[in-house]
């Protein structure tokens, strides 16, 4: 498959035929439309996704976390950047190969099956004793989803807080979160219960409340 940048996929491998005229990542820009500093201050999880790789924003800078199949990290990524990202080989995973296939990716379950995607929605920072819960884009349309969600949350919190004996700080991202009107009271009642038992502080980023 050919695309506008001259990249092709063959046997689930990306092959670079011609490099683009302009680099994706540069050290300086003329205008700031997104502040990574503010995103970090608000506990937002930020990913930079290209056709070759995925980077995560960290306190130390951009970290390479995923690479497309067939891509050489040194030649196809690092050599094409004007600055060096954080690279820890054992932390780099392959990008989802479904991205490069012709068939549909069937993303519905990935986005709305909270249990299967919980490992990507919850992070814990031991240094700050903070749990980051990413509910961005999550849709709640029935009471079963509410019950299942909080059962999962509480399972994680029980381990982190040793059954509520020690509290954690919570930063929850509600950006793009949506819930049926009749379920709001149920959801936030359970949220308050968790707040009373598990959290020292709670910070919320955007969302329907």
């Amino acid at each position: 498959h050919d695309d506008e940048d001259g990249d092709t996929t063959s046997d689930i491998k990306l092959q670079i035929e011609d490099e683009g005229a302009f680099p994706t990542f540069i050290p300086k820009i003329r205008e700031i439309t997104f502040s990574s500093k503010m995103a970090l201050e608000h506990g937002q999880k930020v990913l930079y996704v290209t056709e070759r790789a995925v980077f995560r924003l960290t306190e130390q800078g951009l970290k390479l976390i995923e690479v497309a199949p067939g891509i050489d990290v040194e030649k196809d990524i690092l050599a094409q950047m004007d600055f060096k990202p954080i690279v820890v080989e054992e932390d780099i995973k392959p990008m989802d190969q479904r991205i490069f296939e012709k068939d549909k990716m069937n993303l519905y379950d990935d986005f709305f099956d909270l249990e299967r995607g919980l490992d990507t929605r919850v992070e814990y920072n031991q240094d700050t004793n903070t749990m980051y819960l990413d509910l961005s884009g999550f849709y709640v349309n029935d009471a079963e989803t509410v019950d299942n969600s909080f059962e999962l949350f509480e399972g994680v919190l029980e381990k982190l807080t040793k059954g509520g004996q020690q509290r954690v700080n919570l930063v929850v991202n509600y950006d793009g979160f949506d819930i049926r009107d009749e379920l709001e009271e149920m959801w936030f009642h359970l949220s308050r219960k968790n707040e009373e038992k598990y959290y020292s502080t709670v910070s919320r980023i955007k969302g329907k409340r």
Side-chain angles (χ1 to χ4, degrees):
H1 170 70
D2 294 329
D3 65 19
E4 294 179 358
D5 294 326
D7 297 346
T8 65
T9 58
S10 176
D11 297 324
I12 318 301
K13 287 186 178 181
L14 194 67
Q15 299 174 332
I16 309 301
E17 294 184 348
D18 297 296
E19 291 295 345
F22 303 100
T24 301
F25 294 103
I26 56 177
K28 292 183 178 180
I29 56 176
R30 288 183 294 180
E31 181 180 356
I32 297 175
T33 56
F34 168 77
S35 172
S36 57
K37 181 180 179 181
M38 290 186 64
L40 288 171
E41 289 175 353
H42 286 86
Q44 289 178 287
K45 180 178 178 180
V46 179
L47 298 177
Y48 299 85
V49 183
T50 76
E51 78 283 356
R52 305 182 192 193
V54 179
F55 299 85
R56 172 174 291 166
L57 179 64
T58 74
E59 295 282 355
Q60 294 73 40
L62 288 190
K63 181 177 181 180
L64 179 63
I65 59 172
E66 293 185 16
V67 174
I71 287 296
D72 182 289
V73 171
E74 187 64 42
K75 177 173 69 74
D76 298 325
I77 299 175
L78 301 184
Q80 309 304 321
M81 300 179 67
D82 289 345
F83 62 91
K84 187 173 182 179
I86 301 166
V87 179
V88 181
E89 289 189 14
E90 55 267 31
D91 292 345
I92 300 175
K93 300 178 181 179
M95 292 174 70
D96 192 332
Q97 69 176 17
R98 293 177 300 174
I99 297 171
F100 308 98
E101 295 175 345
K102 294 181 179 179
D103 296 334
K104 292 181 179 180
M105 291 182 67
N106 297 317
L107 293 175
Y108 182 88
D109 288 340
D110 290 354
F111 285 125
F112 299 113
D113 184 343
L114 187 63
E115 180 174 7
R116 193 165 74 177
L118 188 63
D119 59 332
T120 65
R121 290 183 177 271
V122 176
E123 290 186 9
Y124 177 69
N125 186 316
Q126 189 171 3
D127 294 337
T128 60
N129 188 35
T130 301
M131 185 178 94
Y132 297 95
L133 177 59
D134 181 12
L135 293 178
S136 59
F138 187 59
Y139 177 52
V140 181
N141 68 343
D142 55 42
E144 184 180 3
T145 300
V146 177
D147 288 334
N148 290 344
S149 298
F150 279 90
E151 183 179 343
L152 290 166
F153 299 158
E154 289 167 13
V156 173
L157 288 164
E158 281 289 306
K159 294 178 182 178
L160 285 179
T161 65
K162 297 181 180 179
Q165 295 180 36
Q166 57 188 43
R167 292 172 176 261
V168 298
N169 302 307
L170 174 72
V171 176
V172 56
N173 182 6
Y174 274 113
D175 190 18
F177 174 87
D178 196 11
I179 184 170
R180 294 176 66 94
D181 291 344
E182 62 268 26
L183 298 172
E184 283 189 345
E185 184 176 350
M186 179 182 182
W187 180 275
F188 291 110
H189 170 70
L190 293 173
S191 294
R192 284 190 291 270
K193 284 183 61 177
N194 281 353
E195 187 171 341
E196 292 170 1
K197 181 175 180 180
Y198 299 114
Y199 306 139
S200 296
T201 63
V202 178
S203 300
R204 295 180 175 88
I205 304 170
K206 290 185 181 180
K208 192 174 182 178
R209 171 140 178 132

